């Protein structure tokens, strides 16, 4: 068991669990697996379920007193009561990308404390890349790690200062009404398309300046990447420019703006 006050040990534990989950996802990716659909018609595979089961089993050992809200359990109606601290788990963010045989899918684990994602790990097995961070340590890292292999040397990451034309990172698979107008008004001319929680990671690494999202998401989609971004010196704001919080009813997100050194205008005037 890992005490939540021993933050380096807890972070190391959830990084290892994300790696284990990513290895499971990768085995299914290379072997191929059947695609099913949930009640909302979103796809789900054995990779989602097997990776989630492994992560939940690991969290029960390393942090048994902290509740876990996980995507597939939530879809089945199993949502625990949470207190000041809880985990959010998305065992396979970007299932559509996974099914299409793309590489923009990730495994995500986050710790939320008093509504703030304070610790998180994002593993992209098809990209051989791992990101993790802890807001309390004011530090975030990335490392290379091929599925089933050793982790490479950790490198500190930090958001960049936006001194020129800002670069936005956007979703590959979601049209967002009002977004073009917001980007044009903010002078954002360069855009990079990428899927899943990797959008947060690109801002955290200083490869992009801002990630706006006008449409709905779930908290387990965003919390891990958001935690890494905040640990790297970034912020995530709601559509009115206030701090973006977690533990909302149904764990549903409205629009948000994740940013590094770029100072964004509120999104709300552009929503329709």
């Amino acid at each position: 068991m890992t005490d939540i006050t021993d933050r380096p040990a807890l972070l190391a534990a959830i990084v290892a669990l994300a790696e284990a989950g990513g290895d499971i996802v990768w085995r299914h990716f290379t072997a191929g697996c059947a695609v099913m659909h949930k009640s909302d018609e979103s796809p789900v595979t054995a990779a989602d379920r097997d990776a989630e089961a492994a992560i939940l089993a690991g969290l029960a050992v390393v942090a048994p007193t902290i509740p876990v809200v996980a995507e597939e359990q939530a879809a089945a109606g199993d949502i625990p009561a949470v207190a000041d601290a809880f985990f959010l788990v998305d065992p396979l963010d970007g299932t559509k990308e996974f099914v299409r045989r793309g590489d923009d899918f990730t495994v995500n684990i986050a710790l939320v404390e008093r509504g703030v994602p304070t610790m998180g790990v994002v593993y992209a097995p098809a990209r051989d890349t791992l990101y993790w961070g802890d807001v309390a340590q004011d530090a975030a890292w990335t490392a290379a790690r091929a599925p089933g292999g050793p982790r490479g040397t950790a490198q500190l990451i930090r958001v960049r200062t936006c001194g020129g034309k800002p670069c936005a990172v956007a979703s590959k698979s979601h049209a967002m009404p009002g977004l073009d107008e917001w980007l044009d008004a903010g002078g954002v001319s360069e855009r990079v398309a990428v899927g899943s929680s990797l959008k947060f990671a690109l801002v955290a690494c200083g490869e992009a300046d801002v990630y706006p999202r006008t449409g709905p998401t779930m908290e387990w989609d965003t919390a891990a990447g958001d935690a890494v971004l905040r640990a790297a010196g970034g912020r995530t704001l709601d559509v009115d420019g206030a701090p973006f919080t977690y533990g909302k009813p149904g764990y549903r997100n409205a629009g948000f703006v994740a940013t590094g050194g770029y100072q964004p205008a509120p999104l709300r005037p552009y929503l329709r």
Side-chain angles (χ1 to χ4, degrees):
M1 183 172 70
T2 302
D3 192 306
I4 195 170
T5 60
D6 187 350
R7 299 189 71 90
L10 181 58
L11 182 58
I14 66 171
V15 169
L17 288 175
E19 290 175 330
D23 292 348
I24 292 169
V25 166
W26 185 251
R27 287 197 293 270
H28 282 291
F29 184 76
T30 56
C33 59
V35 180
M36 298 152 280
H37 288 84
K38 294 183 277 193
S39 59
D40 63 358
E41 294 303 313
S42 62
V44 62
T45 70
D48 299 75
R49 292 170 175 167
D50 291 352
E52 180 169 298
I55 292 168
L56 292 177
L59 290 175
V61 173
V62 302
T65 63
I66 303 177
V68 184
V69 178
E71 180 179 15
E72 302 313 325
Q73 280 199 341
D78 184 2
I79 304 177
V82 301
D84 285 346
F86 63 96
F87 289 110
L88 282 166
V89 172
D90 188 345
L92 178 50
D93 183 31
T95 302
K96 292 179 181 178
E97 183 76 3
F98 176 89
V99 170
R100 287 196 295 259
R101 312 294 296 171
D103 62 3
D104 289 355
F105 55 87
T106 57
V107 177
N108 302 278
I109 306 173
L111 175 67
V112 175
E113 297 177 274
R114 296 177 180 85
V116 178
T118 58
M119 185 182 295
V121 53
V122 173
Y123 180 34
R127 289 181 168 229
D128 298 344
T129 309
L130 187 70
Y131 307 90
W132 68 100
D134 180 12
V135 172
Q137 298 181 60
D138 190 31
W141 301 265
T142 187
R145 198 242 182 210
R151 191 185 312 159
T153 302
Q155 303 289 332
L156 281 166
I157 57 175
R158 204 75 184 166
V159 300
R160 69 187 183 189
T161 300
C162 183
K165 290 285 187 180
C167 172
V169 60
S171 174
K172 275 187 172 180
S173 57
H174 298 278
M176 291 181 280
L179 182 60
D180 286 344
E181 292 89 339
W182 183 85
L183 291 170
D184 290 343
V188 181
S189 56
E190 183 181 358
R191 306 180 196 183
V192 177
V194 69
S196 73
S197 54
L198 289 167
K199 294 183 283 293
F200 285 99
L202 292 185
V203 180
C205 286
E207 296 179 28
D209 299 293
V210 63
Y211 161 34
R213 179 67 184 246
T214 61
T217 55
M218 302 302 292
E219 291 187 3
W220 48 74
D221 296 323
T222 62
D226 191 355
V228 173
L229 173 63
R230 296 184 196 214
R235 300 170 294 148
T236 301
L237 309 171
D238 68 17
V239 295
D240 296 307
F244 195 64
T245 60
Y246 289 74
K248 299 181 290 295
Y251 299 96
R252 295 183 181 277
N253 293 329
F256 60 82
V257 179
T259 185
Y262 176 69
Q263 300 298 318
L267 266 176
R268 186 175 295 282
Y270 297 86
L271 298 180
R272 60 175 188 270

